[in-house]
Amino acid sequence: MHSEPHQHAPPHATRAFAVVTLANLAYTIIEAGYGFHTNSLALLSDALHNLGDVFGLALAWGAAVLARRPPTERHTFGWRRATLLSPLANAVLLVGFSGALAWEAIRRFGAPPSIPGLSIMAVAAVGIVVNLGGAWMMREGHDHDLNRRGAFLHLLADAAISVAAVAAGAGIWWLGWNWLDPVISLLVSVVVALTAFGLLRESFNAAMDAVPRTVDQAAVAAFITSEPGVVEVHHLHIWSLGTGEIAMTAHVVRPVDSEDHDEFLDRLHRKLDERFGINHPTLQIEHGISCQHDEHDRAPHSH
C-alpha cells in the first residue's frame, strides 16, 4: 500500500514571511535612528524588540522554506520539523528582549531624560500600522500552525509596544511626564514576557514530541480499540512532524484469523485523519500470541 505524497506549503505561504520580515527591518532602522536622535527609551526599546522580531521572523521564514524541501534518504521526513524549532527560538528571543527592556527601564527610573513626545507619537504610530499589517498577513492558519503563531504573536506584541509608545509620547508632550517613558517600557516588557511564555511552553512541548494540544490521546486509543476486529492497542505515540502534520505509531492486536488487514489499515488511516487530524499514522499489526519484542526496556513506552 503506497501513501500519497505530502503536500508542502505553497509559495505564497513563504512570500508572506518575506514581506513582513523586510517591512519590519525597514521600520526598525527608521525607529532606531529616531530613538537615538531623541534619546527615547520607548522608541529604542521598541526598535530593539523589533530587531528581535526581524530575527524571529527571519527564522520563521527560513523554517517555512526548509519545510518545502522534499524528503531525502538521510532526512526521510524532510525538513518539516524546522517549523517546530523556529517558534521555540522565537519564544526565547521574546523572553530575552523583554528582560533587557525591563532592565533598561528600571535603570532610567532615577533620571528619566527629556524627550520630544510628538516625535515619539509619530514614529510609534507608524509601528502600529506596520505590525498590525504584518499580523493580518500572518493571521491565516496561525491557530494550527505553530510557526505562523510565533510570528503572529511577535507582531501583536510589537503592535502593543507601539501603542504604549504612543501613549507615553502623548503624556510627555501634553503633560511633560518624562517618567512615562520608562514606566510604559517596563509594563510592555511584562506583557511581552507573558505572551512569550505560552508560546515557549507549546513550542518546547512540540520539540520534545509531546502529543499535540489538538489531539486527545485517550480518545484516539478508545477509538482504535472500538474498531471491529481490534483486540488491544498498545505502544501508542502521537507527535507533530511539522506544520499541519501529525504522526502516530501504534501496535494493534487483531485475531489470528483476520485476513482483511489492508482494508482495515485503509479504513483506519482515513478515519484517523478525518476525526483527529492524524495524517501520518503507522500501525503494526500483531496477533498477541508470541510477540516478545515488547518485553525489553531499551525503548520504554508509556503504554
Side-chain angles (χ1 to χ4, degrees), residues 13-27:
T14 56
R15 192 178 304 123
F17 281 110
V19 172
V20 173
T21 301
L22 295 176
N24 269 265
L25 177 60
Y27 174 68

Side-chain angles (χ1 to χ4, degrees), residues 80-96:
R80 297 191 287 279
R81 186 169 286 269
T83 58
L84 303 180
L85 298 178
S86 168
L88 180 60
N90 247 327
V92 172
L93 279 174
L94 276 171
V95 172

Side-chain angles (χ1 to χ4, degrees), residues 28-46:
T28 298
I29 294 172
I30 295 173
E31 187 176 36
Y34 271 94
F36 281 115
H37 179 70
T38 60
N39 198 28
S40 167
L41 178 61
L43 287 183
L44 286 175
S45 62
D46 194 11

Side-chain angles (χ1 to χ4, degrees), residues 11-292:
H12 67 78
T14 56
R15 192 178 304 123
F17 281 110
V19 172
V20 173
T21 301
L22 295 176
N24 269 265
L25 177 60
Y27 174 68
T28 298
I29 294 172
I30 295 173
E31 187 176 36
Y34 271 94
F36 281 115
H37 179 70
T38 60
N39 198 28
S40 167
L41 178 61
L43 287 183
L44 286 175
S45 62
D46 194 11
L48 180 65
H49 180 67
N50 263 316
L51 182 61
D53 250 1
V54 171
F55 285 124
L57 289 167
L59 282 172
W61 178 12
V65 172
L66 285 175
R68 297 178 58 202
R69 297 181 63 176
T72 64
E73 290 185 2
R74 183 170 180 81
H75 298 278
T76 56
F77 282 120
W79 292 70
R80 297 191 287 279
R81 186 169 286 269
T83 58
L84 303 180
L85 298 178
S86 168
L88 180 60
N90 247 327
V92 172
L93 279 174
L94 276 171
V95 172
F97 280 116
S98 66
L101 174 56
W103 174 262
E104 180 62 18
I106 293 173
R107 193 183 68 81
R108 285 202 179 194
F109 265 119
S114 178
I115 53 180
L118 198 57
S119 296
I120 294 176
M121 292 174 64
V123 176
V126 176
I128 295 174
V129 175
V130 170
N131 288 299
L132 287 183
W136 184 82
M137 293 186 68
M138 291 289 109
R139 78 195 188 286
E140 185 178 353
H142 81 273
D143 54 337
H144 61 269
D145 184 335
L146 196 57
N147 192 41
R148 276 183 172 257
R149 188 180 309 155
F152 181 77
L153 291 177
H154 238 128
L155 292 163
L156 285 185
D158 263 359
I161 293 177
S162 296
V163 170
V166 169
I172 293 169
W173 173 58
W174 187 31
L175 302 171
W177 291 352
N178 289 323
W179 52 266
L180 274 177
D181 191 49
V183 167
I184 292 294
S185 299
L186 182 60
L187 291 176
V188 166
S189 71
V190 174
V191 172
V192 171
L194 292 175
T195 301
F197 178 75
L199 177 64
L200 181 62
R201 179 179 56 191
E202 186 170 355
S203 57
F204 177 78
N205 285 336
M208 295 300 291
D209 291 334
V211 177
R213 64 184 179 89
T214 57
V215 179
D216 183 342
Q217 182 165 352
V220 173
F223 165 72
I224 297 176
T225 306
S226 68
E227 282 292 290
V230 175
V231 177
E232 182 189 352
V233 176
H234 57 278
H235 286 14
L236 175 63
H237 300 279
I238 305 172
W239 72 99
S240 293
L241 278 179
T243 296
E245 290 194 78
I246 299 177
M248 185 198 83
T249 60
H251 294 200
V252 180
V253 180
R254 306 193 75 207
V256 177
D257 58 353
S258 299
E259 297 180 355
D260 62 336
H261 294 319
D262 288 347
E263 181 184 346
F264 168 78
L265 290 174
D266 285 340
R267 183 177 70 251
L268 196 54
H269 279 216
R270 185 177 64 255
K271 289 184 176 180
L272 285 169
D273 191 7
E274 292 173 351
R275 296 194 179 199
F276 304 101
I278 298 174
N279 48 17
H280 202 293
T282 302
L283 303 174
Q284 177 172 313
I285 302 297
E286 299 173 356
H287 296 309
I289 297 176
S290 58
C291 290
Q292 298 180 0

